[in-house]
Amino acid sequence: MSWFNVIVMAIGLAMDCCAVSVVQGMNERKWHWRAMLMACIFGLFHIGMPIIGFYAGELATGFMNRYAPWIALVLLSGLGTKMIWESLHEHEHPTQANWHIWNLILLALATSIDVLATGLILVPYPEWLWRSVLTIGVITACFSLLGYVLGVYVGKLKLNMEVIGGIVLILLGVKICIEGVCF
C-alpha cells in the first residue's frame, strides 16, 4: 500500500458522492450552507464504512459481494424515482434540493455501501487503516463540495433539474449494481 494507491482509491470512491452533490446543487440557485453539512455527512460515512468493513473482515465478505450492488441500486433508484415523481406532480412550489437530514443520510448510505467493501481491501494493511479512511473521508467531502458548486452553475440553465437529477441517481445505482455484479 502506498499514498498514491490510497489517493487514487479515495478519488474513485468519492465520485459517487460528487455526482449526488451535483444533483443537489442543480436544484439550488446559489451557494447554500447546507452543502457543508452534506459534505461532512458524506465524508463521515466514507470514514466509517471502511472501518466497519475492516473489522467485519471475513464475516461480511460473502454478503457484501453478493448484495451491496443491489442495495445501492434500490436506494439510489428509489430516491431518483421519487425526485422524478415529485418534479412531475408538484408544481405549487419552486424546485429545491431535499436537505432533510434523513434524505442526506440515506444518500450517504447509498453512496458508501461500496466503500464498506474497501475496508476488506485494507485487512492485509492494518497500519494503513486510519491514514486511508481519513484520506478517503477528506477527499470525499472536498469532491462533494466541488460537485455541489458545479451543480449550482449547471442548475442555472433552467432545465427540469429534478428529472435530470433523478435520472442521474438511477443511472448511478445501475452503474454501481453492474460493477458489483459483473466485475
Side-chain angles (χ1 to χ4, degrees):
M1 184 73 59
S2 70
W3 276 111
F4 177 77
N5 292 345
V6 170
I7 290 170
V8 169
M9 179 174 59
I11 291 171
L13 293 171
M15 288 299 122
D16 292 347
C17 289
C18 183
V20 170
S21 298
V22 168
V23 171
Q24 287 291 101
M26 287 185 334
N27 291 311
E28 296 291 330
R29 298 295 176 242
K30 60 181 180 165
W31 168 259
H32 201 285
W33 67 269
R34 291 178 287 205
M36 293 293 290
L37 174 64
M38 178 182 61
C40 288
I41 290 171
F42 285 178
L44 288 174
F45 267 76
H46 272 63
I47 289 171
M49 293 300 254
I51 293 171
I52 293 168
F54 178 84
Y55 288 112
E58 293 290 324
L59 298 175
T61 304
F63 176 82
M64 286 308 300
N65 287 340
R66 184 173 299 133
Y67 298 111
W70 297 103
I71 293 169
L73 173 66
V74 168
L75 290 174
L76 289 170
S77 295
L79 287 169
T81 302
K82 180 179 178 279
M83 282 177 69
I84 293 169
W85 176 265
E86 288 175 355
S87 170
L88 298 175
H89 291 86
E90 293 182 11
H91 299 289
E92 302 86 40
H93 55 81
T95 301
Q96 293 181 338
N98 186 347
W99 291 106
H100 190 273
I101 188 71
W102 292 112
N103 187 59
L104 294 178
I105 289 172
L106 188 58
L107 287 170
L109 178 64
T111 56
S112 65
I113 290 173
D114 57 337
V115 183
L116 183 67
T118 302
L120 299 173
I121 294 169
L122 297 171
V123 169
Y125 310 101
E127 67 279 3
W128 279 91
L129 176 64
W130 293 104
R131 288 180 272 182
S132 298
V133 298
L134 291 174
T135 303
I136 290 167
V138 168
I139 288 177
T140 297
C142 291
F143 272 61
S144 295
L145 283 175
L146 289 172
Y148 173 84
V149 170
L150 176 64
V152 168
Y153 288 109
V154 170
K156 292 180 181 180
L157 298 175
K158 305 284 186 200
L159 302 170
N160 189 337
M161 292 303 160
E162 262 192 306
V163 171
I164 293 170
I167 291 168
V168 168
L169 290 179
I170 292 168
L171 292 175
L172 184 60
V174 170
K175 174 195 145 278
I176 291 170
C177 186
I178 289 171
E179 286 174 349
V181 171
C182 297
F183 301 106

